[in-house]
């Protein structure tokens, strides 16, 4: 501690009025106001390979060898780019461009990397993440121009596109006997696969190869086609009608991505698919049954608040409108919600709605007219009217720290009427927002009730129209007792304390973190499924709970269930039931 205090004291004069101040008292936490769950979430690596980003040697910056550059790029993509952006222009983290970093100098930057900052920068050195040599290396690297990954345009997409089974050679009718509406697509994060599980028999139908760390699964309007997208930008199209459902097409739409969806409006069912990418910042419209890329649209532009140009505004969530032939595309760094009309993609019409910066995930209200999306770093929920194509409200008062709803949860509050709920990464609260401007106008678009769950680090919240329960996970909470269990509320009596369900304990696994993540209902709404997410070399499981009794119903174990995380029931996903 003596060395730490001495070093901080020696640099304190350099820190005054700097954009990422380190002026932290020695007896206070390194990251006041930034909970550990949020730090864990922000620190996710980007899947861009260091070798894909061209090295740029900047005159006047500290010299680095090629090997040092390669090492620094790897560290940056694994630990820093998720917050600061691939181009270091700033995202949820501060800008780290050479005009800023070179003015600070190597000694200052070493302290910054070593000890972190009050704004949420992790203490990579003192926290044991980086060795002293790597701390110094990063301090030097940050003074060079950012190495930019390649663009990914139509040429690259078509080179990656594989039509494995043309539409004419696919089944004319369902060739298997599965109850497809109750099939689950389960992300096997670290193996680059999804497990298709029969929700009736609880048996694995097939393990399908996909891209790395599938982020979401989405269903075509007909329920026949399953689309999955990995964080590495790969989209896989799976035909559920095949005797053994499997891939029929694959494409890589970028180097890093999160979102995919398909057209649902009458007359355009299953016609188009859309995928958005983090790098390059753009979205791509494809043929719905082949994934052939048809149109690429960049999202680089100006921020909604300061009207400053941002070169890396990443595409966050995408949903398909039920009121128009439109996709709702949410752009993270600029805070723009784009209503992309696909009626004529050669003469594309896009309505740009200024909402709030740092848009992330969200879902429809029960009427499927209003899209509720979290601007997580602004502690805000934006309400967008998909019928009128306009912003209804930015809900700020009462929203907790870093909302992370997934799709959220819709139900009827016994006192306040229809609500949509979200939990939070940054605190233990669950907030309920009124969603009925006609019959409950006084409660519409405001936080009407705040519940307290187990703790921060929640990623998903879930209920079902046939359920009286509201389930809340917290897999990123640092307390193992919290991350290995879930909280469940009685919707009919929300003043009643939540019940803790020890899901990981039910799984009967061995050692490991055993984080419990993402409640997902079966079609009937009488079962809720949880992933018990363990290490890649450790045993994981799916735990199924009887929703009415809240008792264990079944545990699915299989050596092929490697790091299961997200689960998507075909019927619920197809029909936006949550």
């Amino acid at each position: 501690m003596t060395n730490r205090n001495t070093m901080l004291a020696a640099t304190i004069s350099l820190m005054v009025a700097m954009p990422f101040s380190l002026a932290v008292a020695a007896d206070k936490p390194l990251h006041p106001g930034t909970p550990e769950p949020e730090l864990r979430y922000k620190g996710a690596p980007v899947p861009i390979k260091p070798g894909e980003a061209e090295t740029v040697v900047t005159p006047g910056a500290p010299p680095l060898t090629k090997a040092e550059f390669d090492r620094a790029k790897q560290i940056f993509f694994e630990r820093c780019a998720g917050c600061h952006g691939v181009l270091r222009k700033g995202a949820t983290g501060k800008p780290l461009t050479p005009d800023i970093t070179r003015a600070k100098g190597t000694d200052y930057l070493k302290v910054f990397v070593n000890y972190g900052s009050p704004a949420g920068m992790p203490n990579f050195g003192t926290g044991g993440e980086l060795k002293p040599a790597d701390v110094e290396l990063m301090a030097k690297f940050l003074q060079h121009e950012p190495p930019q990954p390649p663009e990914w345009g139509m040429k690259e997409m078509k080179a990656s596109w594989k039509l494995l089974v043309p539409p004419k050679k696919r089944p004319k009718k369902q060739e298997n006997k599965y109850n497809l509406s109750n099939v689950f697509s389960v992300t096997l994060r670290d193996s680059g696969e999804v497990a298709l599980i029969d929700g009736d028999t609880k048996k694995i139908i097939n393990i399908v190869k996909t891209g790395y760390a599938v982020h979401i699964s989405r269903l075509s309007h007909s329920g026949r086609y399953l689309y999955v997208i990995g964080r590495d930008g790969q989209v896989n199209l799976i035909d559920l009608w095949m005797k053994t459902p499997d891939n029929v097409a694959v494409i890589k739409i970028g180097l890093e991505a999160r979102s995919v969806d398909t057209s649902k409006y009458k007359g355009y069912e299953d016609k188009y698919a859309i995928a958005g990418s983090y790098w390059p910042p753009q979205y791509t419209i494809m043929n719905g049954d082949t994934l052939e890329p048809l149109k690429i649209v960049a999202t680089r532009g100006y921020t909604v608040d300061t009207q400053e140009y941002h070169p890396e505004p990443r595409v966050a969530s995408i949903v398909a409108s039920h009121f128009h032939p439109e996709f709702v595309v949410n752009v993270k760094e600029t805070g723009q919600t784009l209503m992309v009309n696909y009626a004529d993609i050669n003469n594309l019409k896009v309505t740009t709605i200024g909402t709030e910066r740092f848009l992330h995930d969200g879902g429809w209200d029960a009427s499927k007219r209003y899209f509720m999306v979290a601007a997580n770093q602004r502690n805000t929920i934006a309400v967008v009217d998909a019928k009128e194509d306009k912003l209804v409200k930015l809900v700020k008062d009462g929203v907790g720290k870093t909302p992370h709803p997934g799709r959220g949860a819709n139900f009827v509050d016994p006192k306040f009427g229809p609500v949509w709920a979200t939990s939070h990464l940054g605190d233990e609260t669950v907030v309920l927002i009124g969603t009925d401007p006609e019959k409950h106008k006084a409660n519409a678009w405001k936080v009407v009730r705040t519940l307290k769950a187990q703790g921060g680090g929640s990623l998903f919240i879930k209920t079902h129209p046939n359920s009286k329960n509201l389930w809340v996970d917290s897999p990123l909470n640092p307390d193992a007792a919290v991350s290995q269990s879930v909280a469940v509320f009685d919707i009919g009596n929300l003043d009643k304390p939540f019940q803790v369900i020890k899901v990981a304990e039910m799984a009967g696994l061995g050692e490991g973190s055993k984080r419990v993540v993402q409640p997902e209902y079966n079609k009937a709404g009488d079962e809720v499924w949880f992933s018990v997410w363990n290490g890649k070399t450790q045993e994981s499981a799916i735990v199924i709970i009887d929703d009415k009794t809240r008792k264990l119903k079944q545990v699915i174990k299989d050596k092929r269930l490697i790091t299961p995380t997200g689960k998507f029931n075909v019927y619920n996903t197809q029909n936006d039931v949550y």
Side-chain angles (χ1 to χ4, degrees):
M1 292 299 293
T2 301
N3 290 340
R4 174 179 182 271
N5 293 340
T6 301
M7 197 168 189
L8 283 172
T11 57
I12 201 75
S13 62
L14 294 173
M15 301 175 194
V16 178
M18 291 184 176
F20 33 71
S21 172
L22 290 175
V24 186
D27 60 344
K28 292 185 177 180
L30 287 170
H31 313 298
T34 306
E36 184 176 339
E38 194 171 342
L39 292 177
R40 289 186 180 192
Y41 181 77
K42 288 180 178 179
V46 302
I48 298 172
K49 298 175 182 178
E52 294 174 329
E54 183 179 355
T55 296
V56 179
V57 178
T58 306
L64 292 174
T65 66
K66 183 182 184 304
E68 289 173 329
F69 258 111
D70 290 343
R71 169 67 178 161
K73 284 191 291 184
Q74 180 178 3
I75 292 172
F76 185 80
F77 287 151
E78 288 181 352
R79 303 180 187 276
C80 314
C83 278
H84 299 284
V86 171
L87 301 181
R88 305 207 309 257
K89 294 287 188 179
T92 54
K94 299 287 187 180
L96 294 174
T97 48
D99 59 315
I100 296 172
T101 56
R102 286 182 63 186
K104 304 295 179 279
T106 302
D107 289 339
Y108 170 84
L109 293 171
K110 283 170 61 177
V111 177
F112 177 67
V113 176
N114 200 42
Y115 293 107
S117 80
M121 168 78 175
N123 52 329
F124 286 115
T126 59
E129 296 290 322
L130 296 179
K131 295 179 180 179
D134 283 333
V135 170
E136 182 168 1
L137 173 62
M138 295 309 294
K140 294 178 179 179
F141 170 77
L142 292 175
Q143 297 175 67
H144 289 262
E145 290 291 332
Q148 180 171 319
E151 298 295 324
W152 195 265
M154 188 60 74
K155 178 182 177 182
E156 290 78 14
M157 287 188 198
K158 287 199 170 180
S160 73
W161 175 48
K162 297 177 182 177
L163 185 57
L164 305 174
V165 183
K168 291 183 179 180
K169 294 186 178 181
R170 296 176 196 166
K172 305 304 181 192
K173 61 181 180 179
Q174 184 178 335
E175 292 184 343
N176 58 63
K177 296 183 179 180
Y178 300 113
N179 176 13
L180 293 182
S181 63
N182 199 34
V183 167
F184 288 76
S185 174
V186 180
T187 297
L188 305 180
R189 188 186 187 281
D190 293 339
S191 67
E193 299 167 320
V194 295
L196 301 180
I197 302 180
D198 184 342
D200 292 350
T201 66
K202 315 301 189 288
K203 302 294 185 182
I204 294 177
I205 297 169
N206 196 17
I207 303 292
V208 182
K209 288 289 183 183
T210 61
Y212 169 70
V214 165
H215 194 243
I216 57 173
S217 297
R218 291 291 181 260
L219 272 298
S220 65
H221 182 274
S222 66
R224 173 178 182 172
Y225 291 117
L226 175 70
Y227 301 79
V228 299
I229 188 165
R231 289 175 180 250
D232 59 357
Q234 181 170 305
V235 181
N236 287 69
L237 176 61
I238 299 169
D239 186 353
L240 298 178
W241 280 13
M242 296 170 68
K243 186 175 182 180
T244 301
D246 210 336
N247 287 313
V248 292
V250 63
I251 190 173
K252 194 172 175 65
I253 53 87
L255 300 179
E256 184 180 8
R258 294 294 186 277
S259 297
V260 67
D261 214 331
T262 66
S263 53
K264 293 183 177 180
Y265 191 67
K266 186 176 180 180
Y268 297 88
E269 299 94 332
D270 295 15
K271 184 173 184 179
Y272 295 119
I274 183 174
S277 56
Y278 271 24
W279 185 267
Q282 60 194 30
Y283 58 88
T284 303
I285 298 175
M286 301 162 281
N287 269 331
D289 60 354
T290 66
L291 298 185
E292 179 185 7
L294 302 175
K295 193 173 191 67
I296 306 169
V297 182
T299 54
R300 294 177 170 103
Y302 291 83
T303 60
V304 67
D305 46 7
T306 59
Q307 299 288 290
E308 293 177 280
Y309 179 76
H310 199 294
E312 195 185 342
R314 301 174 288 183
V315 176
S317 53
I318 301 176
V319 294
S321 172
H322 298 269
F323 285 87
H324 303 287
E326 291 179 340
F327 293 119
V328 185
V329 178
N330 294 281
V331 186
K332 187 181 288 283
E333 277 71 30
T334 55
Q336 309 283 2
T337 296
L338 311 177
M339 312 301 283
V340 180
N341 190 300
Y342 52 76
D344 180 358
I345 66 169
N346 291 319
N347 298 283
L348 200 66
K349 294 180 180 179
V350 180
T351 300
T352 301
I353 304 173
T355 47
E356 178 63 285
R357 292 187 69 185
F358 310 117
L359 298 174
H360 191 63
D361 206 357
W364 296 108
D365 79 307
S367 73
K368 299 181 177 62
R369 172 175 175 173
Y370 301 99
F371 185 64
M372 317 282 288
V373 58
N376 55 11
Q377 294 303 308
R378 293 287 172 86
N379 304 328
T380 298
I381 301 296
V383 183
V384 175
D385 184 344
K387 183 177 181 180
E388 300 294 334
D389 282 2
K390 66 180 182 180
L391 176 67
V392 176
K393 182 76 176 291
L394 294 178
V395 183
K396 297 177 179 286
D397 292 342
V399 176
K401 185 170 178 56
T402 320
H404 193 285
R407 286 297 188 99
N410 289 302
F411 57 94
V412 177
D413 184 294
K415 182 178 180 180
F416 299 105
V419 296
W420 176 90
T422 180
S423 54
H424 297 81
L425 268 168
D427 63 37
E428 74 279 16
T429 63
V430 174
V431 299
L432 280 54
I433 297 172
T435 59
D436 182 4
E438 294 184 6
K439 296 181 180 180
H440 297 81
K441 187 175 182 180
N443 300 330
W445 320 130
K446 64 178 66 173
V447 174
V448 296
R449 191 192 294 267
T450 299
L451 308 174
K452 287 192 176 182
Q454 291 194 89
S458 177
L459 293 179
F460 298 100
I461 183 171
K462 188 73 71 169
T463 189
H464 187 279
N466 296 335
S467 173
K468 299 298 183 183
N469 290 322
L470 177 65
W471 300 85
V472 185
D473 72 8
S474 43
L476 297 186
N477 194 286
D479 185 340
V482 175
S483 65
Q484 294 180 9
S485 61
V486 296
V488 55
F489 293 88
D490 180 351
I491 290 174
N493 187 1
L494 290 168
D495 293 324
K496 182 181 177 181
F498 61 81
Q499 180 183 357
V500 175
I501 307 295
K502 298 180 180 180
V503 177
E505 186 176 296
M506 293 175 172
L509 303 176
E511 63 179 12
S513 57
K514 299 188 287 286
R515 289 170 287 182
V516 176
V517 63
Q518 202 208 30
E520 173 70 337
Y521 279 86
N522 63 342
K523 177 184 177 181
D526 57 9
E527 294 175 355
V528 59
W529 293 36
F530 293 91
S531 296
V532 183
W533 173 19
N534 222 342
K536 187 175 182 179
T537 60
Q538 297 165 319
E539 187 179 30
S540 294
I542 303 293
V543 171
I544 302 170
I545 292 176
D546 184 298
D547 184 69
K548 185 175 182 180
T549 65
R550 302 181 181 178
K551 302 296 184 182
L552 175 65
K553 188 170 184 178
Q554 189 168 336
V555 178
I556 303 175
K557 290 184 180 180
D558 191 294
K559 64 181 180 181
R560 296 172 293 173
L561 290 178
I562 300 170
T563 58
T565 53
K567 298 165 299 306
F568 303 88
N569 175 268
V570 166
Y571 180 86
N572 294 337
T573 305
Q574 175 189 359
N575 293 283
D576 293 316
V577 176
Y578 36 84

